């Protein structure tokens, strides 16, 4: 999809299944697909977090207009936004675990990014900047705890200094608020125990617990009539036989059956938002083998409580090449619980 086009739900010619995957960019398998006569447009936005009610998927036999497979932040945000825009729809979310946000959404650095790194003019850059503003606005309106601790990107030599100026220019083009280059002495004012020849300061970068945000989507979703079925691991999608116009069957309206281990849910439209399982769900729903998910594992270390006073917020080194994963940052940040983590390593996982 182009960076300048809104995402929409696509309907295959032979089945009503859509795949929305967590790649570097969001892909939809559009080959041989056509937009529905009344496509539903959506953007993934941030939301609140509270408790939510849901049901276990024992002996489920339900019919829905739209079913979202995947209870991570992308799946819940998508389901919530569709229901907000189209409250007449009967919707459900299927999640294989015992709770929402059990995988990627609940295992990350929790950073609220400001939009410094993304290529200017791309949808990713635009949504990152807008998403930060919307997130803080929502958090404030709903008393959601977060820390706007800022982010300091540090250069230690002349080569890194040039790259830092390039990052500053990119961030300015993206519209990152209050971004500024700082001197070595200013680095000490922001982070007294940090050393560098210069830095790039992003005061509006923050941290929040995205798993709690996702659970708030669940509460918001169910309060508006949506259903969440936990312990529902999708095993297959099956297209119902098309009913004649005079028959009493539901093959035309609920054309896809989503099968779990012991359960079946029928729907007119399916969206899969499966995180690291996106490629498997894509193939299961008729997509091609490629692109495949290549997972990376991040390792986190807790900073000794006696040393926690030495760090105030996020500290990033300047990247040495355009492949950030090859030279991953050692970021340190304050969590909502008051302790700090050091993200020291990202490793590519080869699945044989």
């Amino acid at each position: 999809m182009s960076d300048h086009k809104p995402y929409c739900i696509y309907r295959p010619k032979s089945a009503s299944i859509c795949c929305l995957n967590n790649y570097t960019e969001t892909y939809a398998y559009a080959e041989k697909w056509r937009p529905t006569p009344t496509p539903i447009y959506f953007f993934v936005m941030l939301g609140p977090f509270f408790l939510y009610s849901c049901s276990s998927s024992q002996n489920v036999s339900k019919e829905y207009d739209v079913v979202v497979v995947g209870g991570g932040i992308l799946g819940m945000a998508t389901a919530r936004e569709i229901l907000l825009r189209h409250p007449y729809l009967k919707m459900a979310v299927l999640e294989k675990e015992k709770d929402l946000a059990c995988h990627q959404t609940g295992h990350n650095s929790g950073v609220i990014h400001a939009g410094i790194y993304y290529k200017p003019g791309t949808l990713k850059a635009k949504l990152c900047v807008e998403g930060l503003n919307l997130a803080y606005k929502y958090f404030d309106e709903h008393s959601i705890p977060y820390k706007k601790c800022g982010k300091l990107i540090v250069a230690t030599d002349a080569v890194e200094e040039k790259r830092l100026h390039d990052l500053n220019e990119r961030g300015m083009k993206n519209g990152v608020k209050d971004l500024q280059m700082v001197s070595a002495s200013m680095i000490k004012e922001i982070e007294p125990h940090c050393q560098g020849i210069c830095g790039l300061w992003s005061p509006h970068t923050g941290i929040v617990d995205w798993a709690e945000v996702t659970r708030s989507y669940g509460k918001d979703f169910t309060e508006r009539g949506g259903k969440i079925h936990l312990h529902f691991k999708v095993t297959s999608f099956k297209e119902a036989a098309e009913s004649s116009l005079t028959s009493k069957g539901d093959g035309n309206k609920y054309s896809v059956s989503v099968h779990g281990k012991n359960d079946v849910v029928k729907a007119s439209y399916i969206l899969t938002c499966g995180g690291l399982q996106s490629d498997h769900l894509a193939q299961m729903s008729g997509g091609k083998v490629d692109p495949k998910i290549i997972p990376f594992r991040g390792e986190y270390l807790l900073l000794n409580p006696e040393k926690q006073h030495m760090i105030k917020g996020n500290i990033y080194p300047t990247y040495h090449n355009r492949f950030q994963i090859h030279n991953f940052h050692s970021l340190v940040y304050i969590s909502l619980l008051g302790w700090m983590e050091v993200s020291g390593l990202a490793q590519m996982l080869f699945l044989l």
Side-chain angles (χ1 to χ4, degrees), residues 46-47 112 130-140 146 210:
L46 305 178
I112 307 166
E130 293 181 2
L132 175 139
N133 296 328
L134 290 171
Y136 284 133
K137 179 176 182 292
Y138 200 96
F139 298 160
D140 290 336
Y146 65 88
W210 292 116

Side-chain angles (χ1 to χ4, degrees), residues 52-72:
Y52 63 92
S53 62
C54 58
S55 64
S56 178
S57 63
Q58 294 182 358
N59 300 318
V60 175
S61 179
K62 302 293 184 180
E63 296 172 341
Y64 299 99
D65 297 311
V66 181
V67 166
V68 176
V69 179

Side-chain angles (χ1 to χ4, degrees), residues 133-170:
N133 296 328
L134 290 171
Y136 284 133
K137 179 176 182 292
Y138 200 96
F139 298 160
D140 290 336
E141 290 175 349
H142 296 269
S143 301
I144 295 173
Y146 65 88
K147 287 183 179 290
K148 192 182 287 189
C149 52
K151 174 166 66 178
L152 182 64
I153 308 173
V154 181
T156 58
D157 56 38
V159 175
E160 291 185 353
E161 182 178 8
K162 181 181 182 305
R163 295 193 178 103
L164 208 57
H165 281 285
D166 292 339
L167 273 181
N168 180 48
E169 181 179 354
R170 173 171 285 203

